[in-house]
Amino acid sequence: MVISNGYLMIFAFAMMGCVLTTPLVTHFAGWVGAIDKPDQFRRIHLGAIPRLGGLGLAMGIGAGVLLPHISGWSTRINLNLPDLTHEWSILIAALIVLTVGFIDDTRSLGPRVKLLGQAAAVMALYVGGIRIDRIDVLGLALDLGHPSFQFTALGLPIDLAPASLAVTMFWFLGCMNVWNLIDGMDGLASGVGLLVSGTLTLVAIHNENVEVAILAVSLAGSLAGFLLYNWHPACIFLGDSGALLIGLLIGVVGVQGSLKGPSAISILFPILAMGLPISDTAMAIFRRWVRNLPMSAADRRHVHHLLIGLGLNPRQAALLLYCFSSFLCGAVLLGVALRSEFLALAMGLSGCLAFLVVVTSRRDELANLRGDFNERIARGRQERQAAKLTWEAIQRMELCDSPTAAFAIMERTAEDLGCDRIRIECADAAWGETRVLNDAADGDLSGCGAVFRLSCAKGLSITVGVDLGHDMVLATDIVFRYLQRLGQSLGERLDELAADDEPEPEETAEPWRADAATALAEIETASANRPRVAFPLTFARNLGRRLRFVKRVAPPIAGPAGLARR
């Protein structure tokens, strides 16, 4: 395999373009306010640093791709340069990603808005024909192009396959976000991106895939130029615009290299080349899931934070991570040369596991994760147990025909959840009455407990007070949450029983023959003469239990004293 001088020229164009435009981007970032300030938490740099490096990176890539076409040196490049009109989807997707990243670097966007913008960029690639229609991994071939639907939108014929769209969306969104997550230290994302793009360049040249090789070598040259400014201490950061652009283009190179060319490779090789950001992202997702944190929550548990916590400075940590990424890229090149996916996979996985185990064990991260994982599993078991008891009680409560049975179910379920005592009061706003509906009202509730006041229909309100036991099997917040849901169901059932106990209104004889005004007067008279039924009194007769009225007396108002009396 002989590397053409054309690739070297493209690399030089991209590198010089990024080197010359990055200082201008640095001043522009300060003018628009895209400044990253340290927060003593995740951002470990010392001063305010501009973070619009994606614009300089894009300028370098554009120089590497466009200059060979428009300059007089195109005749000296012994390459079959591709027609750029066929790559319009990559340009549109890159512009969308740069726009989303620019807005996020200057004004900050929410996670959902950023994800929506990334999905729009992926849709542009999919419509342009850059998609995953089949997967060849370890001898297994999966056809994702069927079933498909053909239609026309905006004058463009679109062939939509749901399975292909889902896998393509997952691939590109994953690529963009893994590079965004690893961009947390000076020179880390740009240096690792240089190694990965350089590896994919060699793979594309080996497979005689010219289009992919030109894009990959342009990205590598631009990253090499940007690393001069991004090495510790950094003058400018990639920002979301740069990290998302790197992930998008590496995803394009991986898809195009695995599906096009005289000898396409397995998509497993680009995945192994990105082993460092993928393994760090997988650990972050598992860590946040175990600790019940949002996936967008930031922390200081990434691999570069752990290395700095071990006493390394940013340069030493970056060099160590470069060595690990170089090992994975070497495994990829060895697998491509020997046409052995199993060899590359075995070397890559063993290297990732060994590196993560060594790094995390030095900071007791594995022990903490193991403890958090066991706690989450136990909590999930408690949630299921409480949910089972509560929903069974709600079903029995809906079938009971008397308030006594409903209260007995409430008390029994509270005892099963771990409550020592429960106090239930029922009040009607129309009558101003408060009733204790169980025998635990003789003493005040003490110890660890809670009180829920639930408003139901028709002015009925229920107050549930619980006193938790000393040896709780379930977590306190789980018990409180499910007891509150059970109290709501009790109130709904009391409303239904009260509606059943109300007498039917008296019917007037032959109302259709009476005048409308006369009929209305008769209805009002019947309603006024009908005895008023107190809802709590009906329950008291059904329950046969003690009724306690709480008399509300306004506190006396003290008279004026001193000069105010005059």
Side-chain angles (χ1 to χ4, degrees):
M1 178 186 65
V2 179
I3 298 179
S4 170
N5 64 337
Y7 295 116
L8 300 178
M9 189 172 294
I10 293 173
F11 184 91
F13 281 152
M15 184 174 179
M16 289 187 297
C18 184
V19 168
L20 295 177
T21 56
T22 299
L24 302 177
V25 173
T26 302
H27 292 288
F28 178 72
W31 181 63
V32 298
I35 303 297
D36 198 339
K37 298 179 181 179
D39 58 359
Q40 305 301 325
F41 176 54
R42 291 179 58 251
R43 299 179 174 92
I44 56 179
H45 53 279
L46 299 179
I49 306 296
R51 56 181 179 187
L52 271 182
L55 297 182
L57 188 66
M59 294 294 182
I61 296 172
V65 174
L66 296 178
L67 284 182
H69 289 79
I70 63 178
S71 65
W73 290 347
S74 59
T75 56
R76 301 184 181 182
I77 300 177
N78 53 351
L79 290 176
N80 295 324
L81 297 177
D83 187 3
L84 294 180
T85 57
H86 295 161
E87 308 298 334
W88 60 268
S89 59
I90 300 178
L91 177 61
I92 293 177
L95 290 177
I96 294 175
V97 164
L98 285 174
T99 303
V100 172
F102 176 82
I103 298 175
D104 185 63
D105 289 336
T106 54
R107 297 293 181 267
S108 184
L109 292 176
R112 296 182 180 179
V113 178
K114 287 197 295 185
L115 192 63
L116 184 62
Q118 296 170 21
V122 178
M123 285 301 301
L125 293 174
Y126 188 86
V127 173
I130 301 177
R131 61 183 69 178
I132 301 177
D133 288 329
R134 68 180 186 274
I135 298 178
D136 298 323
V137 177
L138 301 177
L140 300 177
L142 299 177
D143 186 8
L144 304 176
H146 297 88
S148 62
F149 307 94
Q150 291 80 22
F151 58 93
T152 303
L154 300 177
L156 296 175
I158 299 176
D159 185 6
L160 178 62
S164 174
L165 177 60
V167 175
T168 304
M169 188 72 67
F170 177 78
W171 167 257
F172 282 105
L173 291 181
C175 287
M176 286 185 279
N177 285 281
V178 297
W179 286 102
N180 195 17
L181 286 176
I182 203 176
D183 184 26
M185 191 175 65
D186 295 350
L188 181 56
S190 55
V192 175
L194 173 60
L195 292 172
V196 174
S197 57
T199 302
L200 297 180
T201 299
L202 295 177
V203 172
I205 294 174
H206 176 269
N207 293 331
E208 300 178 2
N209 197 333
V210 178
E211 296 181 7
V212 176
I214 290 175
L215 181 59
V217 76
S218 299
L219 177 60
S222 186
L223 285 172
F226 184 79
L227 188 59
L228 299 177
Y229 299 96
N230 193 228
W231 182 248
H232 182 79
C235 301
I236 187 173
F237 291 154
L238 279 171
D240 280 11
S241 57
L244 295 179
L245 182 62
I246 293 175
L248 177 73
L249 295 182
I250 288 181
V252 171
V253 170
V255 171
Q256 296 289 82
S258 61
L259 300 180
K260 292 184 178 181
S263 55
I265 62 171
S266 172
I267 200 172
L268 181 64
F269 292 115
I271 294 176
L272 288 177
M274 294 188 293
L276 175 60
I278 289 177
S279 58
D280 183 61
T281 303
M283 287 292 294
I285 293 174
F286 177 72
R287 182 172 59 247
R288 293 166 188 177
W289 174 79
V290 163
R291 292 166 183 169
N292 200 20
L293 297 174
M295 291 301 169
S296 58
D299 58 11
R300 284 181 57 92
R301 293 293 181 178
H302 291 280
V303 62
H304 49 276
H305 291 132
L306 296 178
L307 292 176
I308 292 178
L310 292 175
L312 300 180
N313 58 41
R315 291 187 178 183
Q316 294 171 342
L319 290 175
L320 181 59
L321 293 176
Y322 290 169
C323 293
F324 172 62
S325 184
S326 300
F327 171 79
L328 296 178
C329 293
V332 169
L333 294 176
L334 187 61
V336 172
L338 299 178
R339 292 293 177 181
S340 176
E341 299 177 7
F342 292 98
L343 177 61
L345 181 62
M347 294 181 61
L349 290 181
S350 59
C352 288
L353 291 177
F355 181 77
L356 291 177
V357 168
V358 170
V359 171
T360 55
S361 61
R362 294 293 300 274
R363 294 285 296 174
D364 294 332
E365 183 70 11
L366 287 180
N368 295 333
L369 281 177
R370 190 184 304 111
D372 294 337
F373 178 75
N374 294 333
E375 182 180 353
R376 181 177 178 87
I377 295 300
R379 185 175 177 83
R381 192 181 302 113
Q382 295 176 10
E383 286 272 2
R384 292 189 294 271
Q385 180 181 354
K388 180 176 180 295
L389 293 173
T390 302
W391 295 120
E392 288 178 354
I394 291 175
Q395 292 176 358
R396 292 195 303 268
M397 195 176 294
E398 291 177 352
L399 297 177
C400 65
D401 54 357
S402 65
T404 306
F407 297 134
I409 294 173
M410 180 76 177
E411 293 173 359
R412 187 165 57 252
T413 306
E415 181 179 358
D416 294 338
L417 290 175
C419 300
D420 282 348
R421 294 192 303 168
I422 182 169
R423 174 190 178 109
I424 306 174
E425 294 181 356
C426 180
D428 194 329
W431 292 90
E433 299 173 356
T434 301
R435 184 176 321 287
V436 178
L437 298 177
N438 63 332
D439 296 333
D442 296 335
D444 295 333
L445 296 174
S446 61
C448 182
V451 177
F452 309 108
R453 292 181 176 87
L454 308 173
S455 299
C456 307
K458 301 181 181 179
L460 177 67
S461 63
I462 296 177
T463 302
V464 181
V466 294
D467 192 4
L468 299 181
H470 299 288
D471 299 330
M472 291 292 296
V473 179
L474 304 179
T476 304
D477 60 324
I478 296 177
V479 175
F480 288 166
R481 187 168 65 253
Y482 282 98
L483 276 179
Q484 185 177 11
R485 179 66 185 91
L486 193 60
Q488 293 175 353
S489 300
L490 175 63
E492 295 173 358
R493 186 55 183 163
L494 293 182
D495 288 338
E496 296 174 359
L497 293 175
D500 296 339
D501 289 342
E502 291 183 357
E504 297 290 337
E506 299 180 1
E507 297 182 358
T508 56
E510 296 183 354
W512 57 87
R513 296 185 179 181
D515 185 69
T518 305
L520 181 60
E522 292 177 357
I523 293 174
E524 292 178 353
T525 303
S527 300
N529 296 331
R530 187 178 62 190
R532 195 173 184 183
V533 180
F535 177 68
L537 294 177
T538 306
F539 276 169
R541 288 193 297 270
N542 292 334
L543 287 171
R545 295 186 175 181
R546 179 166 55 87
L547 175 66
R548 186 179 74 176
F549 296 94
V550 178
K551 184 177 180 181
R552 297 181 176 87
V553 180
I557 302 176
L563 294 177
R565 182 179 301 175
R566 302 177 184 178

